[in-house]
Amino acid sequence: MEDVKRILAVSWITQYCTETVRSAVTLASKYDAELFVIHVVDTAWMKGWNLPMKLNEEEHQRNLERTKGDLNTVINREKKEGMKIKTIVKEGDPVEEILKVIEKEKIDLCVLRAHEESRIEHFMVGGSNDAIIRRMPCSILLVRCERIKKAARVKA
């Protein structure tokens, strides 16, 4: 792990991504590595559909800015004093966009959440972890988010 100098945390901005970001921040701090946190807005479902609503560019930009704000909120809760973290918000197919960032930024380690997603999460972010893992050109750390998952079940 001494060779880890660039870490990418994949955030889906769900209740489970805080643990992923926390783990990535800890590793980046320990190994004095650069940290990137990415969230991909999946727009693939919008292509080829005849939707009854019209999504205008202004509204779309507001949604992207809100997503960036949500991601920064998660990161700011976890980051350590003086630590620089680059946030990346992309649009498109999550697997393709994440793999492009890994290649472009020369990422050494990718941190992903590892839990069974709910049906709504699967619909919103898909089963992308499996597809990412199969094509991953770098090392992977899967963060088990069981503790958070159990807490959510107890509240329900």
Side-chain angles (χ1 to χ4, degrees), residues 36-129:
F36 301 80
V37 181
I38 188 171
H39 174 77
V40 182
V41 177
D42 189 351
T43 56
W45 63 273
M46 294 170 65
K47 294 176 183 162
W49 286 52
N50 186 8
L51 297 174
M53 60 190 174
K54 183 178 179 184
L55 183 65
N56 65 36
E57 188 60 32
E58 189 177 297
E59 182 179 350
H60 182 66
Q61 288 305 317
R62 278 196 307 269
N63 287 339
L64 280 179
E65 290 304 315
R66 187 172 53 241
T67 299
K68 288 177 187 175
D70 291 347
L71 185 56
N72 284 327
T73 299
V74 169
I75 291 167
N76 288 333
R77 271 189 256 143
E78 302 303 326
K79 81 177 189 179
K80 312 250 189 287
E81 183 81 28
M83 182 178 234
K84 291 182 182 174
I85 300 175
K86 181 178 179 184
T87 60
I88 303 167
V89 176
K90 296 274 191 178
E91 296 179 71
D93 175 44
V95 174
E96 295 303 321
E97 294 302 325
I98 290 166
L99 292 171
K100 283 179 191 174
V101 168
I102 288 170
E103 186 176 322
K104 178 183 175 199
E105 299 294 343
K106 297 178 179 29
I107 299 297
D108 301 309
L109 177 68
C110 184
V111 181
L112 297 164
R113 54 112 170 95
H115 79 282
E116 183 180 327
E117 63 267 316
S118 68
R119 287 184 181 158
I120 191 77
E121 281 180 309
H122 188 77
F123 174 74
M124 292 176 71
V125 300
S128 299
N129 267 9

